[in-house]
Amino acid sequence: MRFATAAFLTLAFLSAGAPAQKSRYTSPSARSTVTIAGKELSVDYYAPSMHGRKVMGGLVPYGEVWCTGANIATGFTTPADLQIGSLRLPKGTYSIWTIPNEKEWTLIINKESGQFHLNYNSGLDFGRTKMNVKTLPEPVETFRVDLRNDGGNKGTLALVWERTEASIPFTILQ
């Protein structure tokens, strides 16, 4: 009986307009775009920060699927077909997931987009491909996704956080 009363009082307090508890760590939304061969590609994501925490191999465990950002799964939109790593990706909107490891990362392109960051469904994977990994000389406090124009119809998708950059080249197919 005590539990039910406490639960009722808590529910009544919350629904009475009590201020919600805010996390001390917030991950703002961010967007990266690049125009290559007249086509604008974009990545929409939420950018967590280190806040003194160990990220790679800590907050982001090695060997496990990571949502590659925070809050809502990172979205990737391409208005043209791409060759990204070993994948031939049709134009469209996807979500990006990764499996980080110390020396090698796997990029996962998933056909679903807009899902909460813990709702990964491997049954909807378009495919997986390996990424290049390098150690950065200086730490990067806030996670970022870079879309880079490498000239002509070529570009790079780079995921940068802490002292790690995982990247993969892509080509716009016409």
Side-chain angles (χ1 to χ4, degrees):
M1 183 71 162
R2 253 190 235 169
F3 175 75
T5 303
F8 173 76
L9 290 173
T10 300
L11 184 60
F13 178 74
L14 290 174
S15 57
Q21 192 81 339
K22 279 188 107 175
S23 169
R24 63 186 176 134
Y25 303 126
T26 57
S27 300
S29 62
R31 180 166 232 230
S32 181
T33 62
V34 67
T35 301
I36 298 175
K39 309 289 184 185
E40 184 178 90
L41 289 80
S42 63
V43 175
D44 293 288
Y45 63 102
Y46 285 83
S49 293
M50 289 191 316
H51 296 293
R53 303 174 288 182
K54 174 165 177 46
V55 175
M56 299 303 157
L59 181 65
V60 176
Y62 289 138
E64 296 179 21
V65 174
W66 176 46
C67 72
T68 317
N71 303 340
I72 304 298
T74 294
F76 177 63
T77 301
T78 175
D81 295 354
L82 296 182
Q83 183 71 41
I84 184 163
S86 63
L87 301 175
R88 185 179 174 116
L89 186 66
K91 68 181 177 180
T93 299
Y94 302 89
S95 59
I96 294 175
W97 304 77
T98 49
I99 301 173
N101 283 297
E102 196 170 348
K103 305 274 185 219
E104 180 179 89
W105 282 39
T106 301
L107 174 69
I108 304 168
I109 304 289
N110 191 275
K111 295 180 232 174
E112 185 176 21
S113 64
Q115 66 273 43
F116 181 67
H117 77 279
L118 298 177
N119 295 342
Y120 168 67
N121 181 349
S122 64
L124 294 175
D125 283 355
F126 176 82
R128 295 176 177 207
T129 189
K130 297 295 178 198
M131 299 183 81
N132 304 310
V133 178
K134 72 177 185 180
T135 301
L136 301 172
E138 297 296 322
V140 174
E141 171 67 23
T142 301
F143 172 72
R144 89 175 178 261
V145 177
D146 291 340
L147 286 173
R148 301 173 184 152
N149 187 331
D150 296 335
N153 63 341
K154 298 189 179 303
T156 299
L157 167 70
L159 310 172
V160 184
W161 200 14
E162 198 179 45
R163 288 187 177 267
T164 301
E165 178 180 296
S167 65
I168 189 163
F170 62 85
T171 302
I172 302 269
L173 304 173
Q174 303 284 60

